[in-house]
Amino acid sequence: MTGDLLLVAVAVIWGSSYLAAKTLVAAGGVLVVLALRYLVSAAAMLPLMIGRRPARGEVWVGLLLGGTQASVLALETYGVSRTSATNAGVLISLTILLTPLLQGGLPPRFFLAATVATGGVVLLVAGPGLRTPSAGDALMLGAAVVRAAHVTLSGRLSRPAYDTVTLTTLQTVVGAVVFAVAAGPALLPAATGLGADAWLGVLYLALGCSVFAFVAQLWAVRRSSAARVSLLLGTEPVWAVLIGLSLGGERLTVLAAAGIALVLAGVFWGQRIERAHRTVPAPAAVPVG
């Protein structure tokens, strides 16, 4: 239950971050924003490493997960800037279906529940209608595939002996190095040119959407399953719409309301199926001879 609540909190935070991320990207560019987000995240996480000595296995797993995580954010950020919000929302929601496929071993009913949740996302974001496929759609599809792989690998590779804080810190350090190098000489002038409001946005993305979200996601996937994590994080569009309604004065259409209902119903149903499947005891061995 604690893990589920943490994941819902992550989905709420991610759903509330769209406006801040869009504003920052317009002001500083994709690579600069990602570099600042990761650099602040790494600065917040590194003090927690005092007294911790990563094992060799932890280092390799952290580096690998850092690479997949950075790839997801790069693909998502560039993808959103090159396609419509509708297309992006539908394509990234495919993670709900792709993750259980990669994990394997789940009953068919779970995929039906995931399909219901994905259909809800389609209804939720389908107000303006889908646009003609573009290069941005290909990037968003790639982001969905890599995100599913990242969550699945997080569950399979993070052994019980490994430390969640250590693995998360290594991931943020990888992202900080990759995007700082990619941003290059433009990073420092762009950072010094940001105003106080922009820096508040950077801090929100770094501490809320990265540090808290990455720690919570890894902690939860190590105690449940990748499929369950993706299902709960799949409620992100619901919170984005609800926050838009409360802060932006938007109107809730019948189609969006039906989408929200389907997402929540699919997630609730999928949770029950996944929990029952995970807690079924293994059959007793039959003695031979």
Side-chain angles (χ1 to χ4, degrees):
M1 180 60 72
T2 300
D4 290 353
L5 292 176
L6 283 174
L7 290 171
V8 171
V10 171
V12 172
I13 290 172
W14 282 353
S16 68
S17 69
Y18 292 143
L19 181 59
K22 185 176 181 179
T23 303
L24 286 170
V25 167
V30 171
L31 292 176
V32 168
V33 171
L34 289 174
L36 292 176
R37 174 176 176 173
Y38 266 104
L39 286 168
V40 174
S41 301
M45 293 295 297
L46 283 172
L48 302 178
M49 291 298 295
I50 297 174
R52 286 183 164 93
R53 286 192 173 185
R56 180 177 297 180
E58 280 180 306
V59 172
W60 286 112
V61 171
L63 293 177
L64 174 61
L65 296 180
T68 55
Q69 185 184 81
S71 299
V72 172
L73 286 179
L75 289 167
E76 279 185 342
T77 308
Y78 276 113
V80 168
S81 67
R82 288 166 169 78
T83 188
S84 67
T86 302
N87 286 29
V90 170
L91 289 167
I92 201 63
S93 72
L94 294 177
T95 305
I96 300 173
L97 288 168
L98 292 172
T99 305
L101 284 173
L102 291 177
Q103 178 181 317
L106 289 163
R109 288 185 305 148
F110 182 88
F111 292 94
L112 183 57
T115 302
V116 170
T118 305
V121 173
V122 174
L123 290 179
L124 185 59
V125 302
L130 293 174
R131 294 184 183 176
T132 304
S134 64
D137 295 316
L139 292 173
M140 290 304 302
L141 181 58
V145 173
V146 179
R147 181 189 277 191
H150 173 76
V151 177
T152 305
L153 287 172
S154 297
R156 290 183 178 177
L157 299 181
S158 54
R159 299 177 181 176
Y162 293 168
D163 180 59
T164 298
V165 170
T166 298
L167 291 176
T168 305
T169 302
L170 290 168
Q171 291 177 64
T172 59
V173 169
V174 169
V177 171
V178 167
F179 290 119
V181 171
L187 178 57
L188 186 57
T192 55
L194 293 178
D197 290 344
W199 272 107
L200 285 176
V202 170
L203 289 173
Y204 182 67
L205 292 178
L207 302 181
C209 302
S210 293
V211 173
F212 169 74
F214 295 161
V215 171
Q217 178 179 293
L218 185 58
W219 185 89
V221 78
R222 297 181 68 185
R223 287 160 176 80
S224 57
S225 71
R228 186 181 187 87
V229 168
S230 282
L231 193 64
L232 287 161
L233 293 180
T235 62
E236 178 185 342
V238 171
W239 305 112
V241 168
L242 293 178
I243 290 169
L245 291 171
S246 60
L247 298 181
E250 300 176 10
R251 296 179 60 186
L252 181 64
T253 65
V254 174
L255 204 61
I260 290 173
L262 281 178
V263 171
L264 297 180
V267 169
F268 179 74
W269 186 23
Q271 279 183 281
R272 291 174 62 88
I273 295 169
E274 188 275 343
R275 183 184 296 113
H277 175 75
R278 184 160 38 91
T279 56
V280 170
V286 178
V288 178

